[in-house]
Every structure is written in C-alpha cells, then in structure tokens.
Amino acid sequence: MADKKKTKKGQGAKSSPVTGKKAGQGVKAQTAKAGKSVPEKAVKSKKTSVDKAPEKALTIRVCVGTGGLAAGSQGVIDAFYRELSARGISAAIEKKCVTKTGCRGFCARDVIVDVILDGEPSTYQYMKADRVPRVVQEHIMGGEPVEEWLAGEDYHNFHFGQTKILLRHCGQIDPEDINAYINVGGYKAAKKALTWKPSEIIEEVKASGLRGRGGGGFLTGLKWEFCKMSKGSPKYIICNADEGGPGAFMDRAIIEGNPHSVIEGLIIGALAISAETGYVFTRAEYTVAVERLKKAIEQARANNFLGKNIFGSNVDFDIEIKHGAGAFVCGESTALMRSIEGKRGMPRPTPPNSVNKGLWNKPTVLNNVETLSNIAAIISRGSEWYASYGNENSRGTKVFALSGKVKNIGLIEVPLGISLKEIIYDIGGGIEKNRKLKAVQTGGPLGGCIPATHIDMPVDFESLTRIGSMMGSGSMVVMDDTTCMVDVARFFMAFTVNETCGKCIPCRVGTKRVHEILTRITEGQGREGDIDLLLEIGTDIKLASLCGLGRSAPNPLISTINFFRDEYEAHIKEGRCPAGVCKALRQYLVDVASCKMCGKCARVCPTGAVVWQTRQKAFIDKSKCVKCGACYDACPFKSII
Amino acid sequence: MSDKKIRITINGLVTHCSAGQTILDAAKQVGVKIPTLCHDDRLEPYGGCRLCVVQVKGVNRPLTACTTPVANNMIVITENEAIHRIRKNMISLLLSNHPNDCMRCEKTGECTLQDLAYKYEVDGTRFAGEKWDLPIREDNPFITFEPNKCILCGRCVRICNEVVMAGTIDITGRGFNSVPDTAFGRPRTLDNCEFCGQCVSTCPTGALTDRKGRGKGRCYEMKKVKTTCAYCGTGCNLYLNVRDEKVVKVTSDYDAIVNKGNLCIKGRYGYDFIHSQDRIKTPLIKKDGKFHEATWDEALNLVANKFKQLIADHGAESVGAFSSARCSNEENYLLQKWVRCAIGSNNVDNCARV
Ligand SMILES: Cc1cc2nc3c(=O)[nH]c(=O)nc-3n(C[C@H](O)[C@H](O)[C@H](O)COP(=O)(O)O)c2cc1C
Ligand code: SF4
Ligand code: SF4
Ligand code: SF4
Ligand code: SF4
Ligand code: SF4
Ligand code: FES
C-alpha cells in the first residue's frame, strides 16, 4: 500500500515541470550561495492533492554552512522535501519543518542532519541525497532511526567537551531569518544598551575581560574607551571579517550561522563610541557569508534595528559591507583601513593608532567578528557571568579550528585556559591512526610549533606568546611523527613570501631568503652555519619588521629550531630526514631488518628497480631507481629509507 | 609649535623638541646622524626601509626614528650591537637582490645604498638567491628606470602622489615582486606624467636617473653652479651641473628656501637652450626689414629715444609696459616703478592671468 503510494506520488513529483526546474536550481545554488530553498513552494503546491497527515511533530535541521553546502546539503534539503511531499507528509507539517542552519563545527562529517521526531533528536552524519529516502521511510515513517548512519560516540564527545557561548545558536537557528534570532533573545542586548550611557557599556565590556579575538588580544572595552575619548568626528566602527589565514574559518562560521550576533555587536560598539557608520570588511571569497550578512542587514533595517532612529531612539547607525581583494595583509588594521579607502593595502607605522587616526584619519574601532559576536551575551548576561569562563588574563571562550592529524576535525569552542591536551585528546579524539603526537601549530601560518612535551600548557594569550607561538586567528594544526619540522617551517615561510606586502625590507627580502635556505636544506643542500644564519635573520625579521605579519612570520622557523634542532642537524649534517618527508633526502635502500618481504614495492616501481622474489627481502638497484618515491609510499612497514 | 617643551636625550645629548617632531628630527637637532633610505623631509613618514631603527629605553623592540614621535624624557641610543647587526642585515638583504654594479652605475658617488654598504662593510654575498632580472626602461625622453636597482623605498611614488600630485606611479605587484611603476606598466608620456623628474631627484639609488645626463660624467667631476631658474617667477633654486664648460644636468638644491629641491619640467629638463646654436646672444636692430646685431648701448639708446619721441608727440599716457610672468617679483616691481616714475604713465600690466 505504502509502496504504491510512494511510486505514484514520486512519479507525480518528478514529472512536475515546476519541481524539476526548482531541483535544478537548488543544485546550482550549492556552489554560488545558499539560495532560497525553493522546493518549499513545491511542497505547498502539493497541499491540495495530499490528504494524509502524520500526527507526529517533526523538525529536520540541515547544515548549510560552506562545509555543508560543499558536501551537498542543498541536495539533501531538496531530497527531504521531495520525499516528504511524495509521502504526503507535507500537508500537516509546519512550513519550516526542514530548516537550514549554520555550521556546527564538525565539517569533516558533513552533511550533518538532525531529525527531531516528537522531541526525540537523532543526528545523522555524512548525509547524502540518496540516503534521504531510507531515512524518511524507516525513521520518519517507521519510527526506527537508521542506526548505521547515525553519528557515533565521538561526535557527541566532540560536542560534549565544548563550552558554547558564541556557537550556541550556530547550527540551531535559521541564519536567514531574523525572527529565529529574536526568538532566542536576539537584539535584547542592543535595546538594553540603548538605555545605558556609553561609559556604562564600556565599563561592562571592560569588566568582562574580553580581549580581541583577531589575534592581538587587546582589551576590547579599553579600545572602545580610547576611541570614545579621542577627539575628532565622525567615528567609525569596523568589523574585521577578512580571515585570511589558511585553516581558520571560525569567523566565516559565525557569520554564516548567526550573522545577527555580529550586527548586534556592532550596534552596541557603535553606541559605546558614538559612531553612526559601521563597516564589515570581509573576504570576497566568502560568498555564502556575504549573502547571509547582506540579508541580515536588510532584515535588521526592515525592523528598524539599523538605519535612522534605531529601535525608535534618536540614534542613527547603519552598516556597509566592504569586500577585500584577497590579500592576507589586509587583515592587518592599518592596511585594512587603507583598503577601505581605496588605496593599496599596505600597513603604515603606528602611532598614530587607529583609535585616534583610523579610517579617513578619523577615530576608528576595529574589532574581529568573534569579538563582536561576544558582546550581546556580555550585555545581556553581565560581565561577571562572562568572566567566570576562562582563566585570569584570558576570559571567556574562544573558537578554534582544529585540523591536521587529529581524529575529529572541525570548529570547537572552549573556555580559554583549557590545556592543549584536553583539546587534542578529549575533543579531538586523539591522533589519527593512533600515531604519536609531535607538535601543535597554533595561531595560523605565522604561529609557532609547540612540541608534544608542552601539551599540558594552558591555551591563553600569554602562555602561547611565551612559548614562541600566538593566539593569532585561532587555528590549530596537529602534527604527528610523520611530519618533518624543517618542511613545516619551509611550508609556512612559503605562505609569508606570497603574502608579504613588500613594503619593508626584512619581511619582503628576509622571508624570501629564509624560504630559500629552508628549501635548500630540505633538498639536501644544507650547509654548516645555516642554522645560526636562520636564527639570526629570523630574529632580525621579527625585530625590524613594520607590521604584525613580518613580526610574526619567523615564529614557525624559530620555534622549530628551538624545539627540533636535531631534525635540522640531521638534514644538514647527515643528509637525512628523520620523518622521511623530504624526498631528496631519501636513500632508497631497503631496511632489511624491518622488510616483511611483501613485495608491494616491487609491484609499484615504474622502472623495475626493485628486485624481489617471493619470500625474499627486496633490494633496490640504484642504477635503475629514479627516486620517484612510489615504493616508499607503498611499503606498509616503512622499510624503505 | 615654537615652544619646545619635550625633553629628549639622544646618545647622552639633551635637546628640546616640540610635539609632532620625530626622533630623527631631534637627532638632527643635536647633530647625530641616523642612516635612512626611505626618508625624505618633504614626504609623509613611511617606515619602509627600517634602517633608521634606534633603541628607546624601556621599549622592548627597536623603533624607527623617522616615524616615532618624541615623548618627554625619552632616552634614545642610535646605535648598539643589535641595531648595528640589524642595519647590516637590512643592507645585506637589499644587496642580495641588487646588481651591485657600482662601476658602471650612473649613481656611483652619490648613491645612499653604496654609501651605507661602505659604512657598514657589507657586500651582496651573505644571502644568495633569486634576483630580479628586469629590463632597463627607456621608454620616454627624460627618465631612465633600472628596476633591478630599485630598493622599493617608495620615495618616487610618494613624491609623485604627495608633492607633485600627479599620481603617475604607484607600487605595483606584491611582496618580493613589488615594483614602482605606472598603471599597466605603460610608458610615461605627457598624458600621464608631468616629467618634473621629482621621482628621479628623490631616488636614493641608481634606479631612476636623468636620461639626458647619463654618461656625461660622474657626480664628482661636475662643477655645481647654484642658480635661479630662468623660466618663471617662482624662482626655484637649482644646481647646474657643469662639466668641460657645458651644462650636462640640473640637480636639486634641497636646502633652498623657495623650493626645497622641488623643480618642474622646465627647470629640471629645459636646459638645452643654453648651448643652442639658435640662441640670440646680442640685441638685434631691424634696418631695411632685416635684423642686424648691435651693442646694448645702441639698442638702449634707440629704445629710449623712441619713448621720448612718443611722449613728446602723444603724451606719457601713450606709453605702457607689459611685463612677463617669467620675471621675478622684484623685476616686475622695478618695471612698474620705472613706467610710473620715469615715463609718467599708469599703463602697467602683466601676462599672468590665472
Ligand atoms: C597580517 C595580519 C593579518 C590579520 N588578519 C586578521 C584577520 O583576518 N581577522 C582579524 O580579525 N584580525 C586580523 N588581524 C588582527 C587585526 O590587525 C586587528 O588586531 C584585529 O582585527 C582587532 O580586533 P580585535 O581587537 O577584536 O581582535 C591581522 C593582523 C595581522 C598583522
Ligand atoms: S612586515 Fe611585511 S606585511 Fe608588514 S609592512 Fe612590512 S612588508 Fe608589509
Ligand atoms: S644603485 Fe648604488 S649601489 Fe646600486 S649599483 Fe648603482 S651605485 Fe651601486
Ligand atoms: S616625472 Fe614627476 S609626474 Fe612623472 S612620475 Fe616622476 S614625479 Fe611623477
Ligand atoms: S625607484 Fe628609486 S625612489 Fe623609487 S622606490 Fe625604487 S629606489 Fe625608491
Ligand atoms: S619654471 Fe619650474 S623650476 Fe623654474 S622656477 Fe618655475 S616652477 Fe621652478
Ligand atoms: S628611514 Fe626610517 S624606515 Fe626608512
């Protein structure tokens, strides 16, 4: 009976020219923007022809963050609509039965879908459109979740270990609907702040201990106070959403998942410093985030939260979006402001600081996305509550992007002061394939590498700087023992060489030369004295550079020399790469002791250089070997050295 | 601004400054020399070359003297071991991407980079690596650009944008491959460039040179004759660079009160007339429809007599004078005085109508 119905309705849906067209659009929207889920209409149009209604309350939440969209969430949404309407469920379900949500952090498992049936939530991971029919059939119709596709224990551990203030609504509410934000208490803080004096707002933010999440860690309340005190008008407030470091995507996730929290933060900041214009400087590549932000700003204007006489007060405030042109250095405050002014994005020396002479030479506050998105919660719930998270000098929570050789990759929010160990093992689930942890690189491409021996250290601004790294953007790259630290330093230096603006000598030429020397070492051309030369020039780049980029760029270099000097020496003096990463340093010899005679190397060698017979150890004929590395990768026992 | 209330100690010497002055200004005041490459008094502080770093007591990193404002009771050391090392390394890094070809270079002898390499005893061998290999650009009559010698101090760009306000050039490209250039690398033409040569005059290296003067002699072979530009009433001061009794180049006089080293296309490049064959060197008197060379006495007598004749026949009001904007204020003043007092007429005018 059910089968018959399914076929019938299914055909009906397919043959409908409307549905067919809409589905096509949905697919296209995946890559461009989180387009409107048009099938909603398709569901409605079926209303009349469908009579059967399920009695159960049903909500399906589908992640449409960039990670989710890339994994095909629009297709999943379309499939749900198709399947539900085909089964006649659409008649009674509320319009918003399938909701779109922002990123909830565990992008590696995308598409993540919550099916909440009668208040009973189940979370599916790795959802695909073709899995939807079975979920609808067995779970929604039959009441039995599809066990094998459900997220397992590690998914819950990943979330259990976290403390969510910023991300609490990300992945829960529809980011494209201002009412969803208002329903969870949104914009109450802005209204409250309107009844306060600017100095009261500043005092509250100061008391919370909130420090800038853009990397510098400057006290946000104090920055606002300096700007407020500064003579000159008009004043500006800018949200830094340039997030250019590879591996960092927390700001994107916040804007995609909860754009109104950023707008509310900007409103409150503007009230504190008496600014009437705000800017959001964002990467043009963040298409989904920009679209959502645009929508959110329009909705806020429609509600009179932005524009003239906001919230019916006598205060005006509006926000404009500015697109970056793809330069990492434009995340730096002075370069960012020059870029908004239409000039070449190059930092300028300070003083004067931006709070005195910023955008168009007027007093300006620049705050990071995450910083601003904390503000509403601080105003609503009080500084004392906020300061109860974190440790003495680093209050509150911070979002980190956990990546590398860790089992659970994704965005996490934890109280500052938590140890690296808790992050990697409790939330991250430990190292992939249970290998040995070697180091963690924090703070983005300009951060230092922290060795496994320091894994108990607290993650806060001061501790990270002290050990030669930094908070930076908040990315964390976990490295295991298959990582070569010289190669890591070379890799990150290559990033700086590409991103330096070229203004000052140490950063423009210095990083180039450091990169060349590191490349030489990884290619087996290291020389006596290279380490000292690298340390000397690295130190001078740090000391002499104009802006934060050059001043931090040597961190990966200096920290790896400090903690892994033996690896540098092995490369230079012994011509050996202990991790076996640097191809030029491989000797292409078979380690007879560990060779298990499997012959995999012989099978992959393209030149027939590997001599092997059943139950015999392999041997490499040097005269035929072209050092392609195929045998090295194929050997399951790491017996090729 | 005149009240110098800020007390600052530089290398043990005490001096007083006013707000807004930089450490570099203060050092000049007490005669302490700090090396600079990207600084030019006429331009906004830039902080690009990092050569002027100094140690300020209580600050944990060196600060650039050219951009750091003085503060009361600041104690500054302009050179110590770390600063010396940094300067050496900065110059080494520059020379690692430089032709190091002083023997053939137009700028030799007046090149700041060359002087600093000499002073800090560095050559281009410490850091080997990729070097620019860009062609020399001689795509216009006045300016030669050798990009390989550019150290990216940005002075040309800034003088063109901040002082000349022509906006002809900017830094293009990014990072190691940044280079000052026109939009889309097109040649400088009168459509996009004033040809004032200001960029050339501020360039601390041989990257930008005056094309007409190239190969005409070393700077130390030139007799530098200070004079005033003959073209307009601004009266810019300049140096005629004379070699073998010929003017081969014009350079700036940075200390000139009138123009602080700034010149326009006429003053800097319009000197060809000096040795022109067509130049008129004596007064000419027209007889029978033809000009004949004459002495100054003959010419002046002739003119004076004609004026007298005119006044006698038609009255003083029939004579007037029309002066030139190329004359100085003093010359214009003298002319009107002469018309009023000697001739007795009020008919005085000038071509300057802006
Ligand atoms: C090279 C460089 C890149 C930066 N990129 C960013 C960025 O992408 N986003 C950001 O918020 N801050 C970035 N910053 C930090 C900003 O300069 C600035 O300190 C910050 O936006 C201030 O906001 P906060 O006080 O809320 O942290 C960068 C700094 C440097 C030196
Ligand atoms: S440190 Fe690097 S990025 Fe910063 S101004 Fe200097 S060259 Fe540009
Ligand atoms: S620019 Fe200066 S340092 Fe370079 S070759 Fe010419 S004289 Fe020598
Ligand atoms: S000659 Fe003058 S206008 Fe032309 S580029 Fe140089 S400074 Fe600018
Ligand atoms: S051309 Fe000369 S003035 Fe211009 S940036 Fe290069 S070195 Fe400086
Ligand atoms: S013509 Fe040009 S250089 Fe000569 S005085 Fe006038 S402005 Fe100065
Ligand atoms: S002269 Fe000060 S940085 Fe160049």
Side-chain angles (χ1 to χ4, degrees), chain B residues 274-337:
Chain B
I274 298 173
H275 302 295
S276 168
Q277 293 302 320
D278 303 334
R279 195 173 159 191
I280 300 166
K281 289 175 183 155
T282 62
L284 299 173
I285 295 175
K286 211 182 217 172
K287 274 184 203 147
D288 312 325
K290 266 192 172 170
F291 282 118
H292 297 277
E293 285 192 2
T295 64
W296 278 109
D297 281 342
E298 285 168 349
L300 288 173
N301 279 334
L302 178 71
V303 175
N305 288 334
K306 293 231 165 180
F307 277 137
K308 278 184 190 152
Q309 190 68 48
L310 277 171
I311 294 166
D313 293 353
H314 307 286
E317 284 298 300
S318 64
V319 178
F322 198 75
S323 175
S324 164
R326 282 172 64 166
C327 302
S328 65
N329 267 349
E330 293 81 348
E331 287 161 339
N332 279 317
Y333 174 82
L334 284 175
L335 184 86
Q336 63 81 30
K337 191 88 179 164

Side-chain angles (χ1 to χ4, degrees), chain A residues 325-329 344 346-351 497-506 508-510 512-513 516-517 527 532-533 536-537 539-547 551, chain B residues 37 45-51 53 60-62 64 67-69 82 85-86 89-91 93-94 96-97 126-131 150-152 170-178:
Chain A
F328 173 69
V329 71
R344 179 182 162 92
M346 277 199 312
R348 64 156 175 79
T350 50
V497 171
N498 278 329
E499 295 299 337
T500 159
C501 81
K503 179 167 179 175
C504 65
I505 302 170
R508 178 182 77 241
V509 196
K512 173 91 181 166
R513 297 301 175 229
E516 285 168 343
I517 296 170
R527 297 180 204 137
D532 290 336
L533 180 62
E536 181 182 322
I537 195 66
T539 309
D540 284 356
I541 295 172
K542 257 180 110 73
L543 283 176
S545 286
L546 187 156
C547 84
R551 288 177 192 177
Chain B
L37 267 173
Y46 189 63
C49 74
R50 320 304 287 170
L51 237 71
V53 283
N60 63 1
R61 57 160 45 247
T64 42
T67 65
T68 310
R85 187 195 66 227
I86 289 174
N89 276 333
M90 293 308 111
I91 302 164
L93 286 172
L94 282 181
S96 75
N97 182 33
R126 186 151 196 225
F127 301 97
E130 186 189 332
K131 274 190 178 197
C150 172
I151 56 163
L152 236 77
D170 203 337
I171 292 177
T172 64
R174 193 149 89 181
F176 188 71
N177 296 316
S178 313

Side-chain angles (χ1 to χ4, degrees), chain B residues 229-236 238 259 262-268:
Chain B
C229 174
Y231 276 106
C232 91
T234 308
C236 296
L238 48 79
N259 58 320
N262 299 318
L263 292 172
C264 79
I265 179 172
K266 293 173 279 180
R268 195 181 311 274

Side-chain angles (χ1 to χ4, degrees), chain B residues 78-97:
Chain B
T78 60
E79 189 129 7
N80 59 23
E81 205 180 311
I83 301 277
H84 191 78
R85 187 195 66 227
I86 289 174
R87 287 189 181 140
K88 264 182 110 112
N89 276 333
M90 293 308 111
I91 302 164
S92 288
L93 286 172
L94 282 181
L95 295 186
S96 75
N97 182 33

Side-chain angles (χ1 to χ4, degrees), chain B residues 142-143 155-157 159-161 164-169 182 188-189 192-200 202 208 263 268-269:
Chain B
F142 300 112
I143 296 167
R155 279 164 68 166
C156 54
V157 167
I159 206 157
C160 186
N161 289 279
V164 188
M165 304 242 174
T168 310
I169 44 175
T182 55
R188 283 175 171 86
T189 65
N192 61 12
C193 171
E194 306 267 320
F195 288 116
C196 58
Q198 288 281 87
C199 47
V200 175
T202 190
L208 285 168
L263 292 172
R268 195 181 311 274
Y269 294 129

